[in-house]
Amino acid sequence: MPIPPAERLFPLAYDPGVSPKGGGLPGLDVLRTVVNSINLFGIVAVVGALAVSLAVWAWGHHTGGHQAEANGKKGATVAAGAALGLGAANGIVEFFSGLGTQIH
């Protein structure tokens, strides 16, 4: 008698019992500080990139340099997207982590 597909897949549904818990390893506070510092450096770099991109955009517009103007627009858009991503990083990870815990 053949084995039903659901029973064949049941052994693949093993729960290893792993869940994230704070305080499991030493150095977690140091790692958080390092990641926060990296995020801060990223935000500062984005501010600089946005300023340069806006200056290139304005320079290209006023001198008739269409390619410089287009590159300035692209740079400003990328910098704005990077700022959005850096600012929302915690929320994005928390959102998808919460979704992941609902999968059974």
Side-chain angles (χ1 to χ4, degrees):
M1 182 166 169
I3 300 173
E7 290 181 20
R8 283 187 292 195
L9 293 177
F10 183 71
L12 298 176
Y14 175 73
D15 180 16
V18 177
S19 62
K21 292 185 179 162
L25 291 174
L28 187 59
D29 291 332
V30 174
L31 181 61
R32 282 189 184 128
T33 302
V34 169
V35 171
N36 286 338
S37 297
I38 291 170
N39 197 358
L40 174 64
F41 277 110
I43 290 172
V44 170
V46 165
V47 170
L50 182 60
V52 169
S53 296
L54 292 175
V56 169
W57 184 358
W59 177 74
H61 177 74
H62 289 294
T63 61
H66 300 294
Q67 188 169 1
E69 183 179 1
N71 287 336
K73 287 178 185 180
K74 281 190 283 187
T77 303
V78 168
L84 178 66
L86 287 168
N90 284 333
I92 292 169
V93 171
E94 184 179 357
F95 174 76
F96 284 106
S97 178
L99 282 179
T101 59
Q102 295 176 9
I103 298 173
H104 295 286

